[in-house]
Amino acid sequence: MKIVENLPKLFVLGFFGIGAGVLIFKAFETEESSESLAITLPSFTSEAQAGEVVFNDNCAACHGSNATGTNSGPPLVHNIYNPGHHDDASFYRAVENGVPRHHWPFGNMPKQSHVTKDEVTSIIRYIRELQLANGISYKPHNM
């Protein structure tokens, strides 16, 4: 039986895999709240200013003031959310469908069906202008 012969290897790989996962989770868990993240605020366009209002009303409770994150949700002013990794369509999908936990140790993001597509467009503009002001720009996603 192949499984029995490979059991010691599987055990070792599983052990290290679990250990690595715990270390990564602990690294995120022990980081300070992202709200302490110092960011540069740009002079927003009028569309981004409208997006800031909608963001503050619908997103800031989890994603923090100026999208710097909280203990409930990740910072969106982060290179993981650069347009090459999370394009604008991913934000529309997140609002429309919700998002399962994948990059951060937070829970799943529920869908936000009360936020309209036009409002999401302005939120994206706000986030992208914040990102650019903080050196986050398009970088191709390498899989």
Side-chain angles (χ1 to χ4, degrees):
M1 295 194 105
K2 283 276 191 195
I3 293 176
V4 173
E5 292 171 5
N6 290 322
L7 195 56
K9 292 177 190 173
L10 292 172
F11 176 77
V12 170
L13 289 173
F15 178 77
F16 283 111
I18 291 170
V22 168
L23 287 176
I24 290 168
F25 184 78
K26 286 294 183 189
F28 284 121
E29 185 179 64
T30 58
E31 284 183 8
E32 289 182 30
S33 168
S34 298
E35 287 188 292
S36 64
L37 180 68
I39 63 165
T40 300
L41 295 175
S43 295
F44 291 112
T45 62
S46 58
E47 185 179 11
Q49 289 174 0
E52 180 180 22
V53 171
V54 179
F55 180 91
N56 287 338
D57 290 345
N58 297 282
C59 312
C62 292
H63 291 289
S65 173
N66 298 314
T68 58
T70 68
N71 291 329
S72 299
L76 300 175
V77 180
H78 190 284
N79 191 49
I80 283 178
Y81 298 102
N82 85 69
H85 191 181
H86 286 87
D87 62 5
D88 292 355
S90 67
F91 286 91
Y92 290 107
R93 284 190 306 273
V95 171
E96 185 176 334
N97 304 317
V99 180
R101 178 193 139 176
H102 60 288
H103 287 301
W104 304 92
F106 307 105
N108 299 334
M109 177 183 149
K111 66 182 177 178
Q112 304 295 309
S113 52
H114 59 281
V115 180
T116 69
K117 188 171 184 175
D118 287 342
E119 289 173 326
V120 176
T121 300
S122 65
I123 290 169
I124 292 169
R125 183 65 179 259
Y126 167 67
I127 292 167
R128 296 301 188 206
E129 288 185 21
L130 273 172
Q131 289 174 336
L132 279 173
N134 289 280
I136 299 167
S137 59
Y138 179 91
K139 291 178 187 71
H141 179 59
N142 300 324
M143 296 184 121

